[in-house]
Amino acid sequence: MAPPHPTSLVFTVRRRTPELISPAKPTPRELKPLSDIDDQEGLRFQIPVIQFYKYHPSMKRKDPVKVIREALAETLVFYYPFAGRLREGANRKLVVDCNGEGVMFIEADADVTLEQFGDDLQPPFPCLEELLFDVPGSAGVLNCPLLLIQVTRLKCGGFAFALRLNHTMSDAAGIVQFMDAVGEIARGAAALTIPPVWERHVLNARDPPRVTCTHHEYDEVADTKGTIIPLDDMAHRSFFFGPQEINAIRRFLPQHIRCSSSFEILTACLWRCRTIALQPDPSEEMRVICIVNSRSKFNPPLPRGFYGNGFAFPVALTTAEKLCQNPLGYALELVRKAKNDVNEEYMKSVADLMVIKGRPHFTVVRSYLVSDVTRAGFGDVDFGWGKPAYGGPAKGGVGAIPGVASFYIPFRNKKGEEGIVVPVCLPAPAMVRFVKELDKMLKDEKSVAAGEHKSTFITCAL
């Protein structure tokens, strides 16, 4: 008999009372302002991460809860701002009150084995809210723990490490750096390979602030036709893109842009399929927001060890009609241009805009946000039990408006193919159309064989 589909898996988690873990030694008591990139409205939310680890014979006598709890207290000596609380000052400026109150920690046990989750460990995970419990009163942006961590022992001897981060504190690269530090100390290191660097002032607004670049990501767009995605009847699905799938999409591109990165190709494809699936008014403006890491765009680059938010939200935009009726190359050129706009001047211009405009949220109306975490390093975090069977964002569609965001997560499927898994969150009827469009792109060989360059594989659904 085939095992039950993992999403129908139900299990019980027994949790101990949540506790606060403070730094193992006294730490500086001070106020540390966040950068003007960190404290924008669009980052004032909690982001969930989950790592699953298999049983490891060499760790037979070690308890992952005890190992991680102790390593966490030691790591917080170096990363003491995480043990503090956010306060809001004049002009909505966020500051960390480094008071050593601690991060929230939950010890738990689940009556389930890692095998029961199925061969392909990928979001959405069953009973996620059990593996990452939302402690009542803990999820606020201000005056709440900046990290919540739950370590759940599994029946097979493996465990789940789930973390919820206040996004204003760190981006993917930053939180992985912190988790790596916990891992190093858990494995017996006395010092960290990469000491943390605060340096948030590098990403502060200039004096006087001046917006020098175009930032469509912060346009004020009225939601005239109610196209912000509804929250009820949402379908969550994950899609795997290995070399074969990326090459299938690449076939539809003109020669001169076929060498584009997998990120660019996938983003153009998903943006287009998603727009067709949502069936917007043809004249409506559709946006895709690409998260671009700017650490290397500075001269000199941001210091190694910097764990703040170091990215921008550049936007590509066009009408629904142009996006759906033009070949895929049209969307791809727009995505490439948006990504290439990000440089040091662009980041300074964003910081200045935040101060001038009161830290606005990026535009979510008719927007799709994609974040590539394939190089963030979630899959390498090792607490002593080796690399995780899965590591990365716990679900797609997180943020202020569910359904707007997708992550690109590195993944090896059960055939052993390395690729990218993308969790997508859409209203149920749109998800059916989305899958249909995507299937057409991945399967349609006929128009290619006939030498047609026009993308006949999608009949416009507008």
Side-chain angles (χ1 to χ4, degrees), residues 182-252:
V182 176
E184 278 193 298
I185 289 178
R187 299 195 314 273
L192 301 178
T193 308
I194 305 175
V197 173
W198 187 258
E199 301 280 311
R200 307 280 172 129
H201 64 274
V202 179
L203 288 166
N204 276 350
R206 296 170 282 204
D207 187 17
R210 54 194 186 275
V211 178
T212 49
C213 302
T214 305
H215 298 288
H216 286 303
E217 60 270 37
Y218 301 106
D219 287 349
E220 288 177 44
V221 181
D223 188 23
T224 46
K225 308 218 167 97
T227 42
I228 283 187
I229 292 183
L231 304 188
D232 46 348
D233 194 25
M234 294 295 271
H236 294 256
R237 280 192 62 174
S238 283
F239 299 88
F240 176 77
F241 297 89
Q244 193 182 336
E245 286 77 12
I246 298 288
N247 286 336
I249 301 166
R250 221 181 268 274
R251 302 189 310 248
F252 295 104

Side-chain angles (χ1 to χ4, degrees), residues 250-266:
R250 221 181 268 274
R251 302 189 310 248
F252 295 104
L253 297 168
Q255 208 59 48
H256 71 285
I257 48 172
R258 272 197 187 174
C259 59
S260 301
S261 71
S262 297
F263 171 85
E264 292 161 347
I265 289 170
L266 200 47

Side-chain angles (χ1 to χ4, degrees), residues 67 153 187 192 250 268 284 317 327 344 370 394 423 450:
V67 168
R153 302 179 195 92
R187 299 195 314 273
L192 301 178
R250 221 181 268 274
E284 289 205 291
L317 70 167
E344 183 168 352
V370 292

Side-chain angles (χ1 to χ4, degrees), residues 45-221:
F45 72 97
Q46 306 281 351
I47 195 149
V49 168
I50 195 159
Q51 314 274 116
F52 286 96
Y53 293 89
K54 291 178 176 165
Y55 166 71
H56 202 292
S58 71
M59 303 297 279
K60 192 173 174 181
R61 289 186 172 75
K62 300 266 181 151
D63 172 13
V65 172
K66 184 173 184 291
V67 168
I68 291 171
R69 185 196 275 122
E70 287 172 6
L72 193 53
E74 294 289 340
T75 309
L76 287 172
V77 175
F78 302 96
Y79 284 88
Y80 62 90
F82 273 132
R85 297 292 181 269
L86 280 187
R87 317 287 186 218
E88 192 173 54
N91 304 318
R92 303 184 69 229
K93 185 74 214 156
L94 293 182
V95 174
V96 185
D97 177 2
C98 300
N99 58 10
E101 266 188 63
V103 303
M104 192 159 272
F105 185 84
I106 306 169
E107 171 180 348
D109 290 276
D111 62 350
V112 68
T113 65
L114 193 51
E115 290 69 36
Q116 285 175 271
F117 282 88
D119 289 335
D120 281 348
L121 259 182
Q122 61 187 40
F125 295 105
C127 303
L128 178 64
E129 59 294 337
E130 293 291 315
L131 297 170
L132 183 57
F133 180 63
D134 179 13
V135 177
S138 72
V141 171
L142 302 175
N143 312 313
C144 282
L146 297 171
L147 285 174
L148 178 147
I149 292 170
Q150 179 173 329
V151 181
T152 308
R153 302 179 195 92
L154 304 176
K155 260 195 335 194
C156 53
F159 66 96
F161 170 97
L163 174 148
R164 192 186 69 193
L165 163 75
N166 182 321
H167 203 333
T168 60
M169 287 294 288
S170 296
D171 56 15
I175 196 61
V176 167
Q177 184 183 303
F178 172 76
M179 285 159 58
D180 277 338
V182 176
E184 278 193 298
I185 289 178
R187 299 195 314 273
L192 301 178
T193 308
I194 305 175
V197 173
W198 187 258
E199 301 280 311
R200 307 280 172 129
H201 64 274
V202 179
L203 288 166
N204 276 350
R206 296 170 282 204
D207 187 17
R210 54 194 186 275
V211 178
T212 49
C213 302
T214 305
H215 298 288
H216 286 303
E217 60 270 37
Y218 301 106
D219 287 349
E220 288 177 44
V221 181

Side-chain angles (χ1 to χ4, degrees), residues 42-43 45-48 123 167 229 234-238 270 274 278 287-291 313 361-364 366-373 393-409 421-426 431:
L43 295 182
F45 72 97
Q46 306 281 351
I47 195 149
H167 203 333
I229 292 183
M234 294 295 271
H236 294 256
R237 280 192 62 174
S238 283
L270 294 176
R274 189 177 178 277
L278 286 171
R287 298 156 172 266
V288 67
I289 301 170
C290 306
I291 299 253
F313 292 103
H361 198 294
F362 58 85
T363 308
V364 292
R366 297 182 291 282
S367 292
Y368 179 43
L369 184 149
V370 292
S371 176
D372 180 3
V373 297
K395 57 183 177 180
V398 296
I401 313 289
V404 169
S406 277
F407 295 102
Y408 296 177
I409 303 164
V421 74
V422 184
V424 175
C425 177
L426 280 170
M431 183 63 87

Side-chain angles (χ1 to χ4, degrees), residues 311-365:
F311 66 88
F313 292 103
V315 119
L317 70 167
T318 185
T319 64
E321 183 169 37
K322 283 183 182 164
L323 185 58
C324 299
Q325 293 190 346
N326 274 303
L328 184 63
Y330 171 78
L332 179 59
E333 298 268 25
L334 292 173
V335 167
R336 284 171 57 127
K337 182 185 178 314
K339 260 186 70 187
N340 293 334
D341 283 345
V342 179
N343 54 23
E344 183 168 352
E345 183 61 34
Y346 190 95
M347 294 305 290
K348 290 187 166 154
S349 179
V350 171
D352 293 354
L353 181 145
M354 287 300 139
V355 169
I356 292 168
K357 293 202 167 173
R359 312 184 194 284
H361 198 294
F362 58 85
T363 308
V364 292
V365 178

